[in-house]
Amino acid sequence: MNTTALLPRTDSVKLLENGDSYHQWDVLIVSARTENGKALMRILSDLPINVFAVTTIGQAREVLAKHPVEMIFCEEFLPDGTYRELLEFVIAESNSTAFVVTLCTGEWGEYLEAIHLGATDVLRCPLQAIDVELVLIRAGRESKSLSPDLLA
């Protein structure tokens, strides 16, 4: 897992034996709660993906402006706004970025609202490895661009 360097897309392209290509996914974690960010980093550390972690919507926009990602994990509340603002920005900029909201409130209405607004999925805190991995696998199967190591 690469959590520091922003690699150009071409550096992470891999070829399969049959000639098809895929690239390591780039995932953005937007989490102001240290325990949630660390939990996601721990879960993602053994997977063939690159991870970028930030604590605010502003920082997330900066990363996205320089480096597109395949998936975003975003907490519902951040110091400079809510997931809704970042989700709206992501939808306007890209139709292909999977957006996962992590809810710590656990309110059913929030879950339904996030899906209605366009989130790909919603996970409740505390985050469980199996839930995160299943979200990645579903998104990878839909895009057909995720490493086969993850989908195995």
Coordinates of all heavy atoms in Angstrom, one line a residue, residues 119-151:
A119 N -24.5 8.2 -3.0 CA -23.4 7.3 -2.5 C -23.6 5.9 -3.0 O -24.7 5.4 -3.2 CB -23.5 7.4 -1.0
T120 N -22.4 5.3 -3.2 CA -22.4 3.9 -3.7 C -22.8 3.0 -2.6 O -23.5 2.0 -2.8 CB -21.0 3.6 -4.2 OG1 -20.5 4.5 -5.1 CG2 -20.9 2.2 -4.8
D121 N -22.4 3.3 -1.4 CA -22.6 2.4 -0.2 C -22.5 3.2 1.0 O -21.9 4.3 1.0 CB -21.7 1.2 -0.2 CG -22.3 0.0 0.3 OD1 -23.2 0.1 1.2 OD2 -22.0 -1.1 -0.1
V122 N -22.9 2.6 2.1 CA -22.8 3.3 3.5 C -22.4 2.2 4.4 O -22.9 1.1 4.4 CB -24.2 3.8 3.9 CG1 -24.0 4.4 5.3 CG2 -24.7 4.9 3.0
L123 N -21.4 2.5 5.2 CA -20.9 1.6 6.2 C -21.0 2.2 7.6 O -20.8 3.4 7.8 CB -19.4 1.3 6.0 CG -19.0 0.5 4.7 CD1 -17.5 0.4 4.6 CD2 -19.7 -0.8 4.6
R124 N -21.4 1.4 8.6 CA -21.6 1.9 10.0 C -20.3 1.7 10.7 O -19.6 0.7 10.6 CB -22.7 1.2 10.6 CG -24.1 1.5 10.1 CD -25.2 0.9 10.8 NE -25.2 1.3 12.2 CZ -25.9 0.8 13.2 NH1 -26.6 -0.3 12.9 NH2 -25.8 1.2 14.4
C125 N -20.0 2.6 11.6 CA -18.9 2.5 12.6 C -19.3 1.7 13.8 O -20.5 1.8 14.2 CB -18.4 3.9 13.0 SG -17.8 4.9 11.6
P126 N -18.5 0.9 14.4 CA -17.1 0.7 14.0 C -17.0 -0.1 12.7 O -17.8 -1.0 12.4 CB -16.5 -0.1 15.2 CG -17.6 -0.8 15.8 CD -18.8 0.1 15.5
L127 N -16.0 0.2 11.9 CA -15.8 -0.4 10.6 C -15.3 -1.8 10.8 O -14.4 -2.1 11.6 CB -14.9 0.4 9.7 CG -15.4 1.8 9.4 CD1 -14.2 2.6 8.8 CD2 -16.6 1.8 8.5
Q128 N -15.8 -2.7 10.0 CA -15.4 -4.1 10.0 C -14.7 -4.4 8.7 O -15.1 -4.0 7.6 CB -16.6 -5.0 10.1 CG -17.4 -4.8 11.4 CD -16.6 -5.1 12.6 OE1 -15.9 -6.1 12.7 NE2 -16.8 -4.2 13.6
A129 N -13.6 -5.2 8.7 CA -12.8 -5.5 7.6 C -13.6 -6.1 6.5 O -13.5 -5.8 5.3 CB -11.6 -6.4 7.9
I130 N -14.5 -7.1 6.8 CA -15.3 -7.8 5.8 C -16.2 -6.8 5.1 O -16.4 -6.9 3.9 CB -16.1 -9.0 6.4 CG1 -16.7 -9.8 5.4 CG2 -17.1 -8.5 7.4 CD1 -15.8 -10.6 4.6
D131 N -16.8 -5.8 5.8 CA -17.7 -4.9 5.1 C -16.9 -4.0 4.1 O -17.4 -3.8 3.0 CB -18.3 -4.0 6.1 CG -19.3 -4.8 7.0 OD1 -19.8 -5.8 6.6 OD2 -19.4 -4.3 8.2
V132 N -15.7 -3.5 4.5 CA -14.9 -2.7 3.6 C -14.5 -3.5 2.4 O -14.5 -3.1 1.3 CB -13.7 -2.2 4.4 CG1 -12.7 -1.5 3.4 CG2 -14.1 -1.2 5.5
E133 N -14.0 -4.8 2.6 CA -13.6 -5.6 1.5 C -14.7 -5.9 0.6 O -14.5 -5.9 -0.7 CB -13.0 -6.9 2.1 CG -11.6 -6.6 2.7 CD -11.1 -7.8 3.6 OE1 -11.8 -8.9 3.5 OE2 -10.1 -7.6 4.2
L134 N -15.9 -6.1 1.1 CA -17.1 -6.4 0.2 C -17.4 -5.2 -0.7 O -17.8 -5.3 -1.8 CB -18.3 -6.9 1.0 CG -18.2 -8.3 1.6 CD1 -19.3 -8.6 2.5 CD2 -18.1 -9.3 0.4
V135 N -17.3 -4.0 -0.1 CA -17.6 -2.8 -0.8 C -16.6 -2.7 -2.0 O -16.9 -2.3 -3.1 CB -17.6 -1.6 0.1 CG1 -17.5 -0.3 -0.7 CG2 -18.8 -1.5 1.0
L136 N -15.3 -2.9 -1.7 CA -14.3 -2.9 -2.7 C -14.5 -3.9 -3.8 O -14.4 -3.6 -5.0 CB -12.9 -3.1 -2.1 CG -12.3 -1.9 -1.4 CD1 -11.2 -2.3 -0.5 CD2 -11.8 -0.9 -2.3
I137 N -14.9 -5.1 -3.4 CA -15.1 -6.2 -4.4 C -16.3 -5.8 -5.3 O -16.2 -6.0 -6.5 CB -15.3 -7.5 -3.7 CG1 -14.0 -8.0 -3.1 CG2 -15.9 -8.6 -4.6 CD1 -14.1 -9.1 -2.1
R138 N -17.4 -5.4 -4.7 CA -18.6 -5.0 -5.5 C -18.2 -3.9 -6.5 O -18.5 -4.0 -7.7 CB -19.7 -4.5 -4.6 CG -20.6 -5.6 -4.1 CD -21.9 -5.1 -3.6 NE -21.7 -4.1 -2.5 CZ -21.6 -4.4 -1.2 NH1 -21.7 -5.7 -0.8 NH2 -21.5 -3.5 -0.3
A139 N -17.5 -2.9 -6.1 CA -17.1 -1.8 -6.9 C -16.2 -2.3 -8.0 O -16.2 -1.8 -9.2 CB -16.5 -0.6 -6.1
G140 N -15.2 -3.1 -7.7 CA -14.3 -3.7 -8.6 C -14.9 -4.5 -9.7 O -14.6 -4.4 -10.9
R141 N -15.9 -5.3 -9.3 CA -16.6 -6.1 -10.3 C -17.4 -5.2 -11.3 O -17.5 -5.5 -12.4 CB -17.5 -7.1 -9.6 CG -16.7 -8.2 -9.0 CD -17.6 -9.3 -8.4 NE -16.8 -10.4 -8.0 CZ -17.1 -11.2 -7.0 NH1 -18.2 -11.0 -6.3 NH2 -16.3 -12.1 -6.6
E142 N -18.0 -4.1 -10.7 CA -18.7 -3.2 -11.6 C -17.8 -2.5 -12.6 O -18.2 -2.3 -13.7 CB -19.5 -2.2 -10.8 CG -20.7 -2.8 -10.0 CD -21.4 -1.9 -9.2 OE1 -21.2 -0.6 -9.3 OE2 -22.2 -2.3 -8.3
S143 N -16.6 -2.1 -12.2 CA -15.7 -1.4 -13.0 C -14.8 -2.3 -13.9 O -14.3 -1.8 -14.9 CB -14.8 -0.4 -12.2 OG -13.8 -1.2 -11.6
K144 N -14.6 -3.5 -13.5 CA -13.8 -4.5 -14.2 C -12.3 -3.9 -14.3 O -11.6 -4.3 -15.2 CB -14.4 -4.8 -15.5 CG -15.7 -5.5 -15.5 CD -16.2 -5.9 -16.8 CE -17.4 -6.6 -16.9 NZ -18.4 -6.7 -16.0
S145 N -11.9 -3.1 -13.4 CA -10.5 -2.6 -13.5 C -9.7 -2.8 -12.3 O -8.6 -2.5 -12.2 CB -10.6 -1.0 -13.7 OG -11.1 -0.4 -12.6
L146 N -10.3 -3.5 -11.3 CA -9.6 -3.7 -10.1 C -8.7 -5.0 -10.2 O -9.0 -5.9 -10.9 CB -10.6 -3.9 -8.9 CG -10.1 -4.0 -7.5 CD1 -9.3 -2.8 -7.1 CD2 -11.2 -4.2 -6.5
S147 N -7.6 -4.9 -9.5 CA -6.6 -6.1 -9.5 C -7.4 -7.4 -9.2 O -8.1 -7.5 -8.3 CB -5.6 -5.8 -8.4 OG -4.9 -7.0 -8.1
P148 N -7.1 -8.4 -10.0 CA -7.6 -9.7 -9.7 C -7.2 -10.3 -8.4 O -7.9 -11.1 -7.9 CB -7.1 -10.6 -10.9 CG -6.2 -9.8 -11.7 CD -6.2 -8.4 -11.2
D149 N -6.1 -9.8 -7.9 CA -5.7 -10.3 -6.5 C -6.7 -9.9 -5.5 O -6.9 -10.6 -4.5 CB -4.3 -9.6 -6.1 CG -3.2 -10.0 -7.1 OD1 -3.3 -11.1 -7.7 OD2 -2.2 -9.2 -7.2
L150 N -7.4 -8.8 -5.6 CA -8.4 -8.4 -4.7 C -9.7 -9.1 -4.9 O -10.4 -9.4 -4.0 CB -8.6 -6.9 -4.8 CG -9.6 -6.3 -3.7 CD1 -9.1 -6.5 -2.3 CD2 -9.8 -4.8 -4.0
L151 N -10.0 -9.4 -6.1 CA -11.3 -10.1 -6.4 C -11.2 -11.6 -6.2 O -12.2 -12.2 -6.3 CB -11.7 -9.8 -7.9 CG -11.9 -8.3 -8.2 CD1 -12.2 -8.1 -9.7 CD2 -13.0 -7.7 -7.3

